[in-house]
Amino acid sequence: MERAGHLPGLSADAVDWRTLTFRRGAETLDVAVPVLSEAQIAELATRVRTNARTYLRSRTVAEIAATIDRAVARLLDRDDPWRRKAERLLPLVTGYDAEMVRLGLTGYLKTFRGPELRKFVAEDFANPAVLDDFQPMPKGGFARAFGPELLLHVWAGNVPGLPLWSLISGLLVKAGTVGKLPSAEPLFAGWFAQILAEIDPELADCIAIVWWKGGDAAAERAWLTRADTVVAYGGNDALEAIRARVPITTRFLPYGHKISFGMVARSALDAGKAGAVARQAAYDVARYDQQGCYSPQTVFVERGGRVSPREFAGYLAHELDALGSKFPRRPLSMGEAGSVASWRNAEETKGFADPSRALLGDPAGSWAVAYTDAADGLSPCGLNRTVTVVAVDRLAEAVPGLAPHRAFLQTVGIAAAPEELFALAGALGAVGVTRLCALGRMTAPEAGWHHDGRFNLLDLVTMTEIEGSAERAADTFAPYTD
């Protein structure tokens, strides 16, 4: 039995626990998650808030970042017991291939080393010292940034380790942190808090990692009414339900459903480059089976290169097949399998009516590439290693068709020459795209990435300003003016 969560000040014996069972083949893992009473929620919220006020605000951001760096270093060390536990249990809990989890964790965790954390802070604050004390402002006067005393995170569990991004962001602004574990992956956030407890127990006492069953309105409301700021991830319907319960005075930062896609210019489609580009695109499709918002569902490919869009679809199919041997797709739920089957059937039906369309896939159904000459615009695929290649005369011609999806656009993985890249970036930004990156990097945002075009840290703080008038007036009351 593995116990999840982190409950500073609460005795494990005084807490009710519920068992979540995870199975993969013949292996089974039981995970106990905490079920807190109203009184325990109130006690824990007060403790985290008080600890953050007295301890976190007494530390500099540099000191907090150094502690986070030490914790992340342990998770990167494959000989560390916590890392060994993560490599052993996360594949069982999530169903993802063990080697994919290992490589994915290493790449992801490197984003939170000390130098990268400095990028997080510098990206949002021209003078990071504004998080520690009042600093002079260009307009005159002084200002200081204060994080919320109690920051509630409602996490999704579609990608292993995903909660770390917002959890660390909260610590960098000195917020007392409460994180709601996702039932799909309830372990990693609690492990991180326990590692921090081994390094800096007082900092770990500023964090609580809790759980409640999705849809439990009473437990949700108990936390929402105590938080100063709420950051929530999930489907749009779930986020709408949370928004309805958040008090009007509480800042609410939702991260909902998004759509990402790839673009390949003819300059990347000669015989020497197209294979590598297809390999990079296939990796973006295969990594975590398109469960992240930044995974591509469509790839627009420009005509006129030495490799045609249809040939590129074949290259992409070949690379997905190769990755399937190296990193097998996780077992699908009945709902996921039904979505994939429905998408494939729809693509096959379209192919009967239009010979220019094609569907490439392996007999076992573990991946599929649909190809079309028609400018279908942006349509969702079946996920779980399914993708559509759309041929276009010019990549710029695909952009107007994206505009109706403005509210859902996020990442574009692009293979194009510099002039094309910057020309497309302006057009894509105008219709709502918030991130452009190289193919092969879609699922690995850089430190300081503006998630959905927003700020990781700046959105969390409030600014307290000492205006120049107050400073000048204070001078008149100083002893030296007598």
Side-chain angles (χ1 to χ4, degrees):
M1 173 78 74
E2 185 74 18
R3 184 168 281 175
H6 176 69
L7 309 171
L10 290 184
S11 167
D13 293 337
V15 173
D16 289 333
W17 298 87
R18 175 172 176 171
T19 300
L20 305 179
T21 300
F22 299 88
R23 295 184 178 85
R24 187 179 185 189
E27 293 185 274
T28 300
L29 174 67
D30 289 332
V31 177
V33 291
V35 180
L36 303 180
S37 67
E38 176 77 25
Q40 289 170 329
I41 290 173
E43 179 184 349
L44 194 55
T46 299
R47 180 175 291 112
V48 169
R49 182 187 291 273
T50 301
N51 291 343
R53 184 187 301 135
T54 58
Y55 182 74
L56 279 182
R57 290 189 179 172
S58 72
R59 313 301 291 174
T60 66
V61 172
E63 290 170 333
I64 294 169
T67 301
I68 295 169
D69 180 58
R70 289 176 62 191
V72 171
R74 290 191 57 179
L75 284 167
L76 283 166
D77 179 2
R78 296 198 68 201
D79 292 325
D80 188 275
W82 288 104
R83 173 64 186 235
R84 291 202 301 268
K85 179 184 281 192
E87 290 191 15
R88 185 178 78 254
L89 297 185
L90 286 181
L92 176 56
V93 170
T94 65
Y96 292 118
D97 174 73
E99 185 67 0
M100 178 179 286
V101 169
R102 182 184 74 81
L103 294 174
L105 275 180
T106 296
Y108 181 58
L109 289 167
K110 285 160 59 178
T111 309
F112 305 107
R113 295 308 308 270
E116 303 304 301
L117 295 178
R118 290 199 291 273
K119 293 179 186 176
F120 267 84
V121 179
E123 188 64 36
D124 286 14
F125 300 98
N127 181 0
V130 76
L131 288 160
D132 298 328
D133 203 351
F134 283 93
Q135 299 296 315
M137 301 298 288
K139 69 178 180 62
F142 290 77
R144 181 175 177 181
F146 288 90
E149 288 189 345
L150 192 65
L151 171 61
L152 175 64
H153 310 257
V154 180
W155 291 315
N158 47 345
V159 175
L162 189 63
L164 216 56
W165 194 286
S166 70
L167 192 158
I168 287 174
S169 295
L171 290 177
L172 290 176
V173 298
K174 308 183 185 183
T177 292
V178 175
K180 188 266 185 187
L181 291 167
S183 296
E185 196 283 272
L187 293 174
F188 195 84
W191 291 339
F192 187 72
Q194 291 169 55
I195 295 170
L196 288 174
E198 294 178 5
I199 298 169
D200 186 343
E202 289 183 278
L203 188 147
D205 283 348
C206 302
I207 302 169
I209 308 298
V210 302
W211 179 89
W212 66 81
K213 182 176 174 57
D216 184 341
E220 190 173 82
R221 189 175 289 105
W223 281 112
L224 293 174
T225 55
R226 288 176 168 85
D228 302 309
T229 300
V230 177
V231 178
Y233 300 81
N236 291 353
D237 290 343
L239 292 177
E240 186 62 36
I242 294 173
R243 184 196 295 274
R245 299 187 184 109
V246 174
I248 192 65
T249 54
T250 300
R251 186 178 302 181
F252 181 55
L253 302 172
Y255 291 93
H257 172 66
K258 297 293 179 182
I259 300 174
S260 299
F261 56 94
M263 284 188 151
V264 181
R266 65 169 61 92
S267 57
L269 291 172
D270 65 34
K273 300 173 184 174
V277 172
R279 189 173 308 115
Q280 292 158 349
Y283 181 75
D284 285 332
V285 172
R287 188 168 186 244
Y288 294 135
D289 300 337
Q290 296 168 293
Q291 295 305 297
C293 290
Y294 34 50
S295 299
Q297 301 189 44
T298 300
V299 181
F300 296 97
V301 182
E302 203 169 47
R303 297 186 181 96
R306 294 184 181 179
V307 173
S308 71
R310 189 169 192 129
E311 290 171 324
F312 183 83
Y315 286 15
L316 182 57
H318 171 77
E319 296 298 339
L320 283 172
D321 192 50
L323 283 171
S325 300
K326 187 176 182 180
F327 305 117
R329 189 182 67 184
R330 81 194 200 292
L332 303 184
S333 67
M334 290 183 63
E336 290 172 324
S339 294
V340 170
S342 177
W343 178 83
R344 290 179 65 124
N345 288 338
E347 291 300 323
E348 289 174 348
T349 300
K350 292 175 185 176
F352 295 145
D354 182 358
S356 69
R357 304 181 76 103
L359 181 65
L360 310 173
D362 73 324
S366 60
W367 58 268
V369 177
Y371 172 79
T372 177
D373 276 330
D376 282 353
L378 197 62
S379 58
C381 64
L383 301 180
N384 296 296
R385 307 196 190 187
T386 62
V387 64
T388 302
V389 171
V390 180
V392 293
D393 290 330
R394 298 284 187 276
L395 290 178
E397 295 174 1
V399 176
L402 303 172
H405 307 284
R406 171 185 292 274
F408 301 101
L409 299 180
Q410 191 200 75
T411 295
V412 176
I414 191 163
E419 288 186 5
E420 299 167 295
L421 168 63
F422 283 93
L424 283 166
L428 290 167
V431 297
V433 170
T434 58
R435 173 176 172 245
L436 278 76
C437 65
L439 283 169
R441 298 292 301 173
M442 293 181 68
T443 60
E446 295 177 344
W449 166 49
H450 295 94
H451 189 179
D452 292 348
R454 298 190 345 215
F455 291 88
N456 292 294
L457 308 184
L458 200 56
D459 276 0
L460 300 177
V461 304
T462 55
M463 302 298 293
T464 297
E465 297 189 12
I466 302 173
E467 290 191 353
S469 62
E471 187 183 3
R472 291 188 296 273
D475 192 55
T476 66
F477 306 118
Y480 52 74
T481 61
D482 293 337

